[in-house]
Amino acid sequence: MRVDFGAVMERMRRLRAHIAHHDSFERMSRSGIDTYMGHARFTSPNHIDVGGQTLEFSKAIIATGGHAFIPPIPGIEEIGYLTNETLFQITEIPEHLIIIGGGPIGAEMAQSFRRFGARVTLLDMADRLLPRDDPEASQIIMEQFTRESIDFRLGARVSRFRTEDGQKIVCYERDGQMIEVAGDAILISVGRRANVTALNLDAADVAYDRRGIHVDDHLRSITNPNVLASGDVAGSWQFTHAADAMSRIALQNALFFGRKRVSALKMPWATYTDPEVAHVGIPHDEVARRDDVQTFKVPLSGNDRAILEGDTDGFVKVYATSGGALLGGTIVGRDASAMIGELTVALTGGLKLSTIASTIHPYPTTSDAIRAAGNDWNKTRFTPFAAKVLGWVLAARR
């Protein structure tokens, strides 16, 4: 079946326009917020110029976001490339899309465009896709990509770009050999950089670098506490929901003498591949370093709903202390992005695995695998001594 790619993209743009009003200039104005359109730049530690108009402030919050990082590789500007910001403007599907970067965006777009019918080659320097996620999660995604004939080449260090006969050529080194791959479109997805260069932050005495504004745990500039920052411009979490949560903290701390801390947030994230990958809490590499963390893994191959729907590639993995205090978890599966919410609520509320184990889940659902992880923790409490005591109790009741 041939996909009408133009119709797909038209629908996407139409729906995007439908939800755009949530962040619109008009909505801010209707809410009673004084709004100014124009290029803004600081002129002093407590003044901002917007299109020639000077505004004085007692507190300011910078939420300028970020942009795709373009690595300074020879030929990259001449060859022409796409980013996550321009990819959705195209109307015809590339015959061969080359993606540089195997993180969440690169992985999501690789699978999406392959399913649209494009040939896809993905290059990354790392030894696995989704290197920030659990290695077992990465393995499942790589196996799925192999089944879908997505050509991902790991350990590939791109050295230059060039064109030849209308094709875009990517030259890269792998295992000591120089290799070339040709395609008709290139997507650059190797990270993001904060939007800070045009703000004249030096005039405001706000310290920053290419990764963003230097803030403390309350999101205040470490050099000018009257200026706060939130979202991509101020943190390592580059997600829409993270920007929302951070902005709430910044507003409370700026307007109401708040002392809310970013470090207190329990931040989930999800990669929207198929299957999805979602995570919250303690990082997987910290789990490997700590001796006081127990891991409870429930494969979806044993979950009745997953079996019935044929989506058994995945797992629920929960991290906890020996006392059952929840530390985080990773979920791989068709509904992982929705399922991670349960672990996030439990983590935020300080719930233990015993509470999760005793919580009734509808049957059949894949989320019941989370309860099963709690049950697995319960089993660790049944030590040989506990078994002996139980034997005495049962014998006494005969």
Side-chain angles (χ1 to χ4, degrees), residues 264-286:
L265 294 175
K266 312 302 182 185
M267 186 64 62
W269 70 75
T271 300
Y272 298 96
T273 47
D274 181 15
E276 297 177 343
V277 178
H279 178 84
V280 69
I282 185 173
H284 73 87
D285 52 352
E286 185 175 342

Side-chain angles (χ1 to χ4, degrees), residues 4 35 46 49 64 79 121 154 160 189 228 248 258 265 334:
D4 187 342
T35 51
N46 63 334
D49 178 90
T64 49
I79 199 172
T121 300
L154 304 174
R160 62 189 176 93
S189 179
L228 298 87
R248 292 172 187 270
L265 294 175
R334 176 66 62 87

